[in-house]
């Protein structure tokens, strides 16, 4: 059984990750987005509400789904610490500024339709190829 502090801390990290990804702390949103990603292991609005209110912590497999969706590490979401050596923010509640931007972009990307996600991936591929062809600038 997890302590009240652990549940509360998890809830705070979940709400923070939701905000960084551009979502509000809504049990309906968490349930919908979670169930879109794992239709075979769906959760109820009641379960999502308990996670957001600090009344329960999901099982580790569910934490992984939430972390993948919200573009955070499962280790951070569950325990408040990052795996060592990954170059990400360790254990604090405020991610580095670059991570906030990246997480926001990833959240926006994940809300796009599959066909629009494909368009974005193709655009990135074209831009990367153009970058490789361009001569490197000296001093800039």
């Amino acid at each position: 059984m997890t302590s009240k502090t652990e549940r509360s801390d998890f809830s705070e990290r979940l709400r923070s990750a939701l905000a960084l990804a551009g979502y509000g702390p809504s049990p309906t949103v968490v349930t919908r987005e979670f169930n879109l990603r794992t239709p075979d292991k769906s959760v109820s609005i009641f379960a999502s509400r308990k996670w957001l209110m600090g009344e329960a912590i999901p099982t580790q497999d569910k934490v992984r789904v939430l972390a993948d969706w919200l573009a955070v590490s499962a280790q951070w979401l569950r325990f408040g610490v990052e795996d060592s050596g990954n170059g990400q923010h360790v254990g604090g509640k405020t991610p580095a500024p670059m991570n906030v931007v990246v997480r926001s972009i990833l959240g926006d990307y994940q809300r796009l339709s599959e066909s629009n996600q494909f368009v974005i991936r193709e655009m990135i591929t074209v831009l990367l190829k153009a970058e490789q062809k361009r001569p490197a600038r000296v001093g800039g």
Side-chain angles (χ1 to χ4, degrees):
M1 185 107 190
T2 57
S3 73
K4 184 175 182 173
T5 302
E6 284 181 275
R7 292 189 305 265
S8 175
D9 290 349
F10 170 81
S11 172
E12 184 177 322
R13 287 187 298 274
L14 177 58
R15 290 191 314 267
S16 173
L18 284 163
L20 288 171
Y23 296 95
S26 162
T28 304
V29 169
V30 172
T31 301
R32 181 190 69 228
E33 294 297 326
F34 183 94
N35 291 344
L36 283 172
R37 287 156 179 80
T38 61
D40 57 325
K41 295 182 181 183
S42 63
V43 297
S44 67
I45 290 176
F46 182 70
S48 295
R49 182 194 163 282
K50 288 175 83 170
W51 301 342
L52 290 166
M53 299 301 294
E55 296 172 7
I57 296 175
T59 58
Q60 192 59 26
D61 60 328
K62 289 180 173 69
V63 169
R64 276 193 228 90
V65 172
L66 292 168
D68 288 346
W69 162 42
L70 297 169
V72 297
S73 118
Q75 183 79 3
W76 174 80
L77 186 57
R78 174 58 180 92
F79 300 106
V81 296
E82 293 286 352
D83 295 326
S84 60
N86 65 3
Q88 295 182 353
H89 184 69
V90 177
K93 296 178 189 204
T94 306
M98 180 68 146
N99 286 342
V100 171
V101 172
V102 171
R103 287 179 179 159
S104 176
I105 291 169
L106 286 173
D108 291 343
Y109 171 82
Q110 290 174 329
R111 287 191 297 273
L112 293 172
S113 68
E114 192 173 315
S115 61
N116 284 335
Q117 287 179 1
F118 176 79
V119 170
I120 297 299
R121 288 192 304 271
E122 290 299 308
M123 288 175 57
I124 290 170
T125 300
V126 168
L127 291 170
L128 288 171
K129 286 179 183 177
E131 288 281 322
Q132 291 173 350
K133 292 178 182 176
R134 198 179 323 160
R137 286 199 235 162
V138 177

